[in-house]
Amino acid sequence: MAGTVSDMSASRPVSQVCHALSPFGTTIFSEMTTLARAHDAINLGQGFPDFDGPDILHEAVTTAIRDGHNQYAPLAGLPALQEAAARDASEYLGRTVDGAAEVTVTSGCTEAIAAALLGLLNPGDEVLAFEPFYDSYPACCALAGARLKTITLRPPAFEFDAAALEAAVTPDTRVVLLNTPHNPTGRVATAAELDAIARICIAHDLIAITDEVYDRIVLEGEHLCLAAREGMADRTITLRSLGKTFSVTGWKIGWAIAPPHLTAAVRAAHQFLTYAVSTPMQHAAVAALGLGSAFYDDLQDDYRRRRDCLLPALEASGLTPHPPQGTYFVMCDHSALGHGDADAYCRWLVKTRGVAAIPPGSFYANPQTGASLVRFAFCKRLETLQEAVRRL
Ligand code: GLN
């Protein structure tokens, strides 16, 4: 019979991934979650909570579906959510935000990052970001035909070094992409760091995009917005989301806040990436943003308890943790354990200890820069963390 198995494997089609994306492979988050499942491991890799957010959100989404809110939302977002996001942001930005004109609802912050970069950049433009970075940054720059240049955050404190940032500016630089509170280092940018970055943006006429999805998970100090620093309101796109704050990472609701001339760029791309975002989830997002400050205080207390449960065990296992000021991640140095680079250590850990973590190589321009580090996520129930502690 024609077409035997061996015939088929001999003519296996070659991968058709485009040149821009082929260097990126499968994201490390999917890879480690798959490995965690295969080894029945406690997954402290990909950052998603193993608990549900507030009941009121679940009721709000069910009610929205029952009430017939099941068709396309407006391109820029449900007006009620634009208004709620604007009210919420006004507190951080120190100015009144116009929801209809300045808020664009996206499919999580990951789409907001893509829409901002694809909507703004021309081929040959340069983007500056601190590394380690979220792995979508270089992929989106590649799609836009832009270059990503990185400035390395160094342990133990991972300070944002403005002098190094300024040294990297060239005539092609258009955008500074800043993430604070910073995943994966847990660094929270200080007022002095933000002022120094603002001064550079103004001096070199750069646009800032700030990824602030961990804005409500601050364990030490306080979260400050680059957009609120003097002279920055007109040149900053602030990105926020629902997933981390309300423990609903699967809902994929994020938003971009920017003055109209920058919002135009975000919407130009957003309309062709997703057009609009899940309508019932947007209704529930309005309810979430109405919960208020007591909810955020409890969230932070819970995260301090989770951090305090995990960190001593990481240290006792021979790692050197770099305690985070924000986010639900902790970076540790694993080199004293002698398992080789981060990939080797994480494979050993998941197979022999049944705990999954993230090797941060794909968060660096040169993966070797992060070879001695490993990231653990502590967005898990205390019981889950206690079991991880036992296994470690
Ligand atoms: N932001 C999450 C993390 O850092 C994961 C996002 C994703 O899986 N793409 O773990």
Side-chain angles (χ1 to χ4, degrees):
M1 196 177 123
T4 63
V5 170
S6 57
D7 284 342
M8 283 171 64
S9 66
S11 62
R12 186 176 294 141
V14 294
S15 165
Q16 294 297 313
V17 176
C18 68
H19 293 160
L21 293 179
S22 56
F24 297 100
T26 303
T27 91
I28 191 67
F29 303 115
S30 302
E31 208 177 295
M32 291 314 295
T33 290
T34 306
L35 209 57
R37 288 206 183 107
H39 291 280
D40 208 12
I42 305 274
N43 190 354
L44 306 186
Q46 192 176 25
F48 61 88
D50 69 345
F51 46 86
D52 279 328
D55 286 344
I56 176 177
L57 267 74
H58 312 147
E59 284 151 23
V61 78
T62 315
T63 306
I65 290 172
R66 287 218 188 95
D67 287 352
H69 297 297
N70 297 304
Q71 308 307 328
Y72 295 126
L75 181 158
L78 211 64
L81 180 54
Q82 289 178 299
E83 282 319 309
R87 262 196 312 278
D88 179 63
S90 298
E91 172 203 328
Y92 273 46
L93 299 182
R95 68 177 179 97
T96 305
V97 173
D98 176 344
E102 298 188 276
V103 175
T104 307
V105 180
T106 55
S107 180
C109 186
T110 299
E111 195 227 335
I113 293 163
L117 292 172
L118 293 173
L120 281 173
L121 295 171
N122 293 306
D125 283 348
E126 229 166 54
V127 176
L128 301 182
F130 291 93
E131 65 174 14
F133 43 66
Y134 181 39
D135 64 353
S136 87
Y137 298 175
C140 290
C141 289
L143 284 174
R147 269 190 309 279
L148 178 70
K149 263 170 87 176
T150 57
I151 299 95
T152 307
L153 303 174
R154 308 265 175 205
F158 301 106
E159 296 101 337
F160 293 101
D161 181 347
L165 181 72
E166 186 151 36
V169 174
T170 73
D172 290 334
T173 309
R174 234 23 243 272
V175 168
V176 172
L177 178 48
L178 177 74
N179 167 221
T180 181
H182 184 262
N183 171 15
T185 66
R187 175 81 185 178
V188 175
T190 62
E193 287 170 337
L194 293 177
D195 283 337
I197 295 169
R199 190 190 54 71
I200 294 164
C201 290
I202 294 163
H204 300 276
D205 194 19
L206 308 178
I207 296 164
I209 303 175
T210 63
D211 167 354
E212 304 184 11
V213 295
Y214 297 97
D215 54 355
R216 298 292 186 183
I217 306 179
V218 178
L219 312 169
E220 316 286 343
E222 68 173 322
H223 170 66
L224 299 170
C225 289
L226 184 61
R229 313 315 289 181
E230 189 153 1
M232 290 306 288
D234 270 349
R235 57 174 73 247
T236 307
I237 304 178
T238 304
L239 310 180
R240 310 180 73 182
S241 84
L242 209 67
K244 279 73 179 172
T245 306
F246 299 99
S247 308
V248 289
T249 60
W251 284 23
K252 301 297 294 174
I253 299 285
W255 54 91
I257 306 159
H261 65 288
L262 294 176
T263 285
V266 174
R267 290 184 188 172
H270 163 72
Q271 63 182 337
F272 298 124
L273 288 172
T274 54
Y275 176 66
V277 173
S278 166
T279 307
M281 297 310 187
Q282 291 195 60
H283 280 272
V286 176
L289 290 178
L291 282 175
S293 59
F295 174 80
Y296 302 128
D297 292 344
D298 288 349
L299 181 80
Q300 306 209 348
D301 287 344
D302 288 345
Y303 273 113
R304 288 192 191 100
R305 270 191 287 278
R306 294 182 186 116
R307 173 198 61 186
D308 295 346
C309 171
L310 186 63
L311 257 62
L314 295 174
E315 199 159 4
S317 80
L319 295 161
T320 307
H322 299 299
Q325 298 164 321
T327 78
Y328 45 53
F329 302 111
V330 53
M331 285 280 252
C332 301
D333 192 303
H334 64 81
S335 43
L337 291 169
H339 287 292
D341 66 9
D343 282 317
Y345 169 73
C346 286
R347 277 172 213 289
W348 171 84
L349 189 70
V350 74
K351 283 186 192 144
T352 66
R353 294 285 185 271
V355 175
I358 295 279
S362 53
F363 307 158
Y364 290 88
N366 174 0
Q368 275 311 106
T369 315
S372 64
L373 296 168
V374 54
R375 187 193 82 172
F376 291 86
F378 54 87
C379 44
K380 306 292 166 184
R381 285 171 293 145
L382 278 177
E383 302 87 89
T384 309
L385 292 173
Q386 278 151 2
E387 176 56 20
V389 164
R390 200 189 59 74
R391 294 182 182 198
L392 283 163

